[in-house]
Amino acid sequence: MALWGGRFSDGPAQTVFALSRSVHFDFRLAPYDLRSSLAHLDVLESSGLLDKQVSSQIRSGLRELISEVAKGEFTPKPEDEDVHSALERGLMEKLGEVGGSLRAGRSRNDQVATDLKLYAVDQMLHLASLVTELQSALLSKATEYKDAPAPGFTHLQHAQPILFGHELAKHVHALSRDLDRIADWLKRTKVSPLGSGALSGSSLPLAPEKTASALGFSSNSANSIDGVSDRDFVAEALFITSLIGVHLSRIGEEWCIWATTEFGWAKVADAYSTGSSIMPQKKNPDMAELARGKAGRLIGNLTGVLTMLKGLPFAYNRDLQEDKEPLFDSFDTLFLVIPAVAGMVATTEFDREKMLAAAPMGFSLATEIADFLVRAHIPFSQAHEAAGKCVAQCEKLGIALHELSDDQLISIHPALTSDVRKVLTVDGALASRTTRGGTSPSSLEVQLKDLKVELSQNTTKFTAESKAFSGMMGA
Ligand code: ARG
């Protein structure tokens, strides 16, 4: 059913309708559209524009539609253009012409912006809960391996020993920043566009502040043109989902490396691996690879929407219809990826012996020599030079740093006494990194404790937000 046509002598050409039609993807906004219609109905009624009897008829019609949509009993028809026209058809099928009364004081322009915001808030809260689940899987693994030494890398070359729990815990921090971004996004997004009308507000005595608060927003748009045209919340949501995708991708890349035969650190559980159709011996970390690969698609969705918005004149233009599929796709993608990655993380076992054996390889204790000299008040430039010479000597002789003789040490630098051997152990190097955020067992203990507290606070915060949102939707 068309929502316009009075001034036209002919309906749209088939090609025009085909290009315009969005109901096949935007029908998923139906629950939010119906909820915001209920809020709009309330202000139409309280402002005296609809009498009680009509509004209660419409209210029951909307409630019936809410339940029919939830059960899949009401679906779009081929002639419906978008979610708004499909639902108005539904209402008019039930109530006749009275069903058309809801359109007063409202345009699809403020309606679609409101629906999309409600959808985005709902999905973002679900995303936050999935992120906390992944954090919890990473935090458990980090705790399990908090005493397992491993080599740490820079440039993918052995750098300095670290505790493997420290290595895993770093991902929890990145995801915590994502949760902060979500919380911050929620604050900015909770401004209701409803009441902005087509672009200039409404001449009817409506109360957009009231509909805003009924829908869980903290205020309504202070500028109606901005209200209908603002898609910052879409772009920002797509940035947040992209960055989460990038974080997942980096987790995926590490898992791929650690699971190689060359590393042999990670044993990915069978349930989270896949086989090869031709090579019977293969066990591939496909979940890690998909986590890595999906980041490209998420970033693509962000750049697509930013490009669509760039240079768009105000207020509403039909280009804005292109904001939905990328947003839907980014949420859908993460809803698939995060649980699989969380499961993969939770079920992967790491080879402590291999990691321990690799920890001192590649002269990863050379910094300890330099720090030893610094403690003897040798300027770092000299200390660095001397430690480098130790490495060069060892490479020439094919020995490890702690195997240099006393004479060899003294000849490299007079302050290099045999005591230096005491710091040339993985445990010694780890234990000495006691600064906040360092890899020592004591610092890691504090870090893990803080992360647990933060995770539980975030879980409580987002669960409460979700409850409030579901309450609003069910009202
Ligand atoms: N389907 C449209 C969209 O998604 C709804 C708004 C249409 N408004 C208009 N003035 N044609 O953007």
Side-chain angles (χ1 to χ4, degrees), residues 48-98:
L49 291 166
L50 286 183
D51 64 43
K52 276 224 156 0
Q53 195 220 333
V54 173
S55 51
S56 72
Q57 242 183 304
I58 299 179
R59 191 165 293 111
S60 357
L62 287 172
R63 292 214 180 277
E64 271 175 40
L65 275 176
I66 288 175
S67 111
E68 287 167 13
V69 166
K71 291 190 209 137
E73 289 166 8
F74 180 84
T75 50
K77 286 193 171 162
E79 60 274 22
D80 293 327
E81 182 188 318
D82 58 15
V83 58
H84 322 291
S85 34
L87 293 173
E88 185 170 303
R89 168 185 60 78
L91 204 56
M92 289 175 86
E93 280 169 3
K94 288 181 191 302
L95 311 174
E97 207 49 53
V98 159

Side-chain angles (χ1 to χ4, degrees), residues 20 22 26 81-82 84 107-109 112 231 316-318 320-321 323-324:
S20 295
S22 57
D26 69 16
E81 182 188 318
D82 58 15
H84 322 291
S107 150
R108 276 188 295 169
N109 299 353
V112 76
R231 292 296 183 277
Y316 180 85
N317 296 273
R318 195 58 176 272
L320 288 173
Q321 184 164 294
D323 58 1
K324 288 170 205 64

Side-chain angles (χ1 to χ4, degrees), residues 13 123 141 332 357 396 454:
Q123 307 300 299
K141 272 290 143 184
D332 291 350
K396 209 163 77 194
E454 192 182 359

Side-chain angles (χ1 to χ4, degrees), residues 13 106 154 190 215 265 281 308 317 349 370 377 453 458 461:
R106 188 172 68 162
T154 65
K190 285 187 171 180
L215 295 174
W265 293 6
Q281 85 285 7
M308 178 274 285
N317 296 273
E349 294 304 328
H377 300 286
V453 172
N458 272 330
K461 179 170 84 186

